[in-house]
Amino acid sequence: MPLKTSSFSKALFINNIKRFWPVLFGYCLAVVFALSSQLVNLSYRSFDYAYSFGQMLFSLAPFWAFIMPLAIITVAGGVWSYMFRPQSTAMINALPLNRKCVFYTNYISGLFILLAPVVLGAVIYLIGGMALGFTGLPALGQWLLIIVSVTVLLFSLASALAMTTGNLPTLVVLFAVSNCLLIFLEFTVRNFLNTYLYGIMFSWSSSEMLFSVATPLYWLADASNDIQNGYAAHTLSFVIYLLVGLALMVAACKLYQRRHMERAGDVIAIRPLYPVFIYGVALCASLSFGNLLAEILFSPSVHGGMSDFVFHLACFIFTGALGYFAALMLLNKSFRVFKQYKGLLVYSLILVLAGVSVYYDFYGYATYAPDPDKVVAAGITTGNGDYSAMLHSLEAEPSRNLNLRALPGLPTELALRIGSPLPEKAGNQGVGIYYDYSPYYGYSGEYQVRYSDNGQQHVYPAQRYSLLTADELQWLWENRRDIYATDAGLDAVADVHEYLVANIGTLRRDARHYGSYGAHDDMIWDNIYIAWRLDNGKVVMRQYPVVISAADYAKGTSELAHRLDALMGGDENRAKLLAYTRIPATELTEKITINLGGLYYRLYDAN
């Protein structure tokens, strides 16, 4: 019988819908119930309250992050289940349909089961919202883009993974791992670097994780939270999700057309992917179980020494070996795989070289110094200072908390635009920031700051987040105590950094020694944070743990203390300190004192 050349089979589509109608019905029920509950909540809101048609939609992000992958893997496991049993495979191949037609029909039917409940729920939500007086087509359209793009991406991913494996349990495991693999690997690598790469400084916020956007379910919740608060729409990232999903669909079709159907039942059905599977399992075992084993056995210190480093590498190699041989056993369906150890030797060697390069900083990370001509501002603080606020002030993003209330002489216009326009007399009582939510779209991007003063309400005009102008940036940097923007101040920061770089070997050795064995009473321990704002807007930051002899400090022979004293005693910092004290300069001594126990500086009152 000749094969049909069409790319779609109506009979096969209907058959799939009949087979998996319980999944379709259950998913419809869950989606409609969730959106209907939001309609009930919406009925209790008014236009003046900080909730809206759009915000109620995006507040369901945790629900979608939970229910969506369950529905996707259930549907994918169902429509591709015939490939995991030889009898079913033979039956499908006996149909007068070519492989392209079978693939796209199964794919479209699975996507229909996943998207039909979403569209139905959106229609019900729109009609219910209109009945309550809320209409928000733009917000609903944005929400549909997010849900559809993530669904297409993850279902295409599940379909592509189904082409590479020959049994259902492996598909479920691969799908679960792939949904958190990149951000998990980044987290574990960052943790290792934070322990053994001297000078590194990481933020653990999701917005600064490189692979958070490459983890759709994680990004779904994070982006929805941002959209609720009006920070960003993230539309581009979800359009890219949609395009990547379509590309994965095409790739899955190509794999299906070339797949050997007799591989049904195998863990990996495509032989060229064997090395990827073996070393992928070994790497994941090293970074996950290796870190866990290290924490259980000896708990590496914050700045791990040589003994910590060696034991940590040993845990990586041991757990990697377990993963390596386990993968071989699954592929060969035999326990007799230990003679295939040569690949493990190569893997272990690469792991050791990578670890040693980090420990001894082959990359020159700690000794990095930006081009002085490209530095427009620099910040320096210590463990007693607020390095996070310093970093945010250098980045100067209005959506960040810049902690400007304490700055003397804060211009009203700048304060309003930043979101901290509170006069000193307002204190911290009765303060609130009220975001404007439109009944037609959601968050409008505007906010008001209100505070109470002896029962009297003060409401500032509505403001909108926007980037700081060059003059506002300059004012901000000139008034923060830990930021330097003048030539003299930048030179003083560079002087401290040059000393740290010149003595990096000693500083690193001492930090690792005392980090592993504990600091003595005769030693002073702290962290020095240095950040540079470059002329291209990029901010670079380094963290230098330092251990200084208390005796050298007491004698005044500590070179680091001397350079820090020169920095803090400079004209720029002196003027800032005087402004912060709000005490007439005539009542203060001229000397700025330094207490190196926390690298903390202050002006002493002469009285």
Side-chain angles (χ1 to χ4, degrees):
M1 182 180 294
L3 298 180
K4 292 184 178 179
T5 58
S6 172
S7 296
F8 182 78
S9 170
K10 181 179 178 181
L12 184 57
F13 175 85
I14 295 174
N15 181 66
N16 281 336
I17 301 302
K18 288 180 178 179
R19 287 176 61 202
F20 304 114
W21 72 264
V23 179
L24 175 61
F25 178 76
Y27 197 34
C28 272
L29 201 62
V31 171
V32 171
F33 176 80
L35 293 177
S36 298
S37 66
Q38 294 300 82
L39 281 176
V40 173
N41 291 332
L42 198 63
S43 66
Y44 293 102
R45 312 297 182 186
S46 66
F47 292 129
D48 297 326
Y49 200 81
Y51 285 90
S52 70
F53 182 90
Q55 194 202 29
M56 298 299 285
L57 272 175
F58 294 114
S59 66
L60 281 174
F63 165 80
W64 289 110
F66 173 76
I67 197 69
M68 190 186 298
L70 292 180
I72 288 172
I73 193 58
T74 301
V75 172
V79 297
W80 304 119
S81 60
Y82 67 89
M83 295 192 303
F84 307 145
R85 297 188 301 273
Q87 299 86 347
S88 301
T89 302
M91 180 189 70
I92 292 295
N93 287 337
L95 294 175
L97 302 171
N98 59 35
R99 287 198 176 187
K100 185 177 180 181
C101 176
V102 173
F103 174 84
Y104 280 116
T105 302
N106 285 329
Y107 182 88
I108 293 172
S109 59
L111 206 57
F112 175 83
I113 294 172
L114 293 169
L115 294 183
V118 174
V119 175
L120 176 63
V123 172
I124 293 175
Y125 188 78
L126 178 62
I127 294 174
M130 293 175 64
L132 294 172
F134 291 84
T135 54
L137 284 176
L140 185 63
Q142 187 179 25
W143 175 81
L144 276 174
L145 170 65
I146 292 174
I147 301 302
V148 170
S149 61
V150 174
T151 300
V152 171
L153 174 61
L154 294 186
F155 183 66
S156 297
L157 174 64
S159 299
L161 292 174
M163 303 304 115
T164 66
T165 184
N167 63 68
L168 184 58
T170 303
L171 172 61
V172 174
V173 172
L174 289 177
F175 181 74
V177 170
S178 62
N179 269 285
C180 59
L181 178 63
L182 291 178
I183 198 168
F184 167 75
L185 290 178
E186 180 179 359
F187 182 86
T188 53
V189 169
R190 281 189 174 213
N191 183 62
F192 184 82
L193 294 177
N194 215 38
T195 304
Y196 298 109
L197 182 57
Y198 184 82
I200 203 161
M201 177 65 191
F202 277 133
S203 168
W204 297 102
S205 67
S206 61
S207 62
E208 297 185 34
M209 296 286 282
L210 295 175
F211 288 118
S212 60
V213 70
T215 309
L217 296 176
Y218 191 94
W219 191 246
L220 168 66
D222 200 60
S224 295
N225 183 63
D226 281 351
I227 293 171
Q228 286 185 74
N229 292 320
Y231 293 152
H234 297 288
T235 302
L236 178 60
S237 60
F238 291 102
V239 170
I240 293 175
Y241 279 180
L242 187 60
L243 296 177
V244 173
L246 296 176
L248 280 174
M249 175 193 67
V250 174
C253 181
K254 298 296 183 183
L255 288 173
Y256 184 75
Q257 290 176 298
R258 290 166 173 77
R259 176 187 168 100
H260 296 288
M261 291 302 178
E262 64 272 12
R263 293 282 184 180
D266 291 354
V267 172
I268 298 297
I270 302 176
R271 186 170 290 276
L273 293 180
Y274 278 15
V276 176
F277 179 74
I278 294 170
Y279 292 108
V281 171
L283 180 62
C284 290
S286 291
L287 294 181
S288 56
F289 296 110
N291 271 322
L292 179 62
L293 185 61
E295 289 291 339
I296 293 174
L297 293 180
F298 61 93
S299 186
S301 61
V302 177
H303 306 290
M306 177 57 76
S307 59
D308 286 350
F309 174 70
V310 171
F311 280 118
H312 213 141
L313 270 186
C315 290
F316 279 170
I317 293 173
F318 174 71
T319 54
L322 295 180
Y324 176 85
F325 287 119
L328 282 175
M329 291 175 188
L330 289 171
L331 292 176
N332 296 334
K333 301 178 183 178
S334 170
F335 293 108
R336 297 180 180 182
V337 297
F338 296 102
K339 291 183 179 180
Q340 304 178 44
Y341 62 86
K342 293 182 180 179
L344 177 62
L345 295 179
V346 175
Y347 169 79
S348 300
L349 178 61
I350 294 174
L351 205 61
V352 169
L353 291 176
V356 169
S357 70
V358 168
Y359 190 79
Y360 290 102
D361 193 8
F362 290 176
Y363 320 103
Y365 185 88
T367 56
Y368 165 84
D371 184 350
D373 294 334
K374 295 183 179 180
V375 176
V376 296
I380 183 168
T381 188
T382 66
N384 276 5
D386 189 350
Y387 66 84
S388 178
M390 178 189 77
L391 182 63
H392 291 168
S393 294
L394 283 171
E395 294 172 338
E397 295 182 12
S399 61
R400 296 291 189 88
N401 180 11
L402 300 183
N403 297 334
L404 298 185
R405 295 180 191 173
L407 292 182
L410 179 64
T412 302
E413 182 179 356
L414 174 58
L416 286 168
R417 289 173 65 261
I418 291 297
S420 302
L422 301 177
E424 185 178 348
K425 66 177 182 178
N428 291 319
Q429 296 182 351
V431 173
I433 297 181
Y434 296 82
Y435 298 95
D436 176 40
Y437 288 91
S438 162
Y440 299 101
Y441 184 75
Y443 180 59
S444 68
E446 295 187 348
Y447 62 89
Q448 288 183 325
V449 178
R450 310 174 187 178
Y451 73 95
S452 299
D453 181 17
N454 295 326
Q456 183 179 2
Q457 285 285 339
H458 297 265
V459 180
Y460 285 87
Q463 303 296 322
R464 181 177 293 274
Y465 283 131
S466 59
L467 296 177
L468 274 66
T469 65
D471 290 340
E472 289 170 339
L473 279 175
Q474 195 65 32
W475 182 93
L476 174 62
W477 296 335
E478 288 176 355
N479 285 272
R480 276 201 67 97
R481 286 179 292 177
D482 45 16
I483 294 180
Y484 301 85
T486 64
D487 291 340
L490 292 175
D491 289 342
V493 173
D495 189 54
V496 173
H497 183 253
E498 287 174 3
Y499 172 83
L500 294 173
V501 170
N503 296 272
I504 201 69
T506 302
L507 294 172
R508 180 167 52 203
R509 184 190 64 239
D510 290 345
R512 286 172 174 168
H513 175 78
Y514 291 105
S516 298
Y517 300 104
H520 301 286
D521 293 337
D522 60 344
M523 307 301 294
I524 299 172
W525 172 287
D526 213 318
N527 291 290
I528 297 178
Y529 302 92
I530 301 180
W532 301 271
R533 165 81 180 228
L534 307 182
D535 54 9
N536 61 2
K538 183 180 180 181
V539 176
V540 182
M541 189 168 184
R542 295 292 184 270
Q543 171 190 0
Y544 298 98
V546 295
V547 182
I548 303 174
S549 168
D552 290 344
Y553 163 66
K555 295 176 184 176
T557 57
S558 169
E559 180 65 20
L560 177 59
H562 174 72
R563 293 179 184 241
L564 288 169
D565 202 5
L567 171 68
M568 300 307 295
D571 292 339
E572 182 175 355
N573 192 63
R574 186 184 299 276
K576 293 178 182 179
L577 286 172
L578 288 171
Y580 268 87
T581 60
R582 294 187 174 90
I583 300 175
T586 55
E587 298 180 16
L588 296 169
T589 60
E590 287 297 319
K591 182 176 176 55
I592 295 181
T593 63
I594 173 174
N595 174 12
L596 202 54
L599 296 180
Y600 174 74
Y601 315 89
R602 63 183 180 275
L603 284 165
Y604 271 108
D605 190 337
N607 300 322

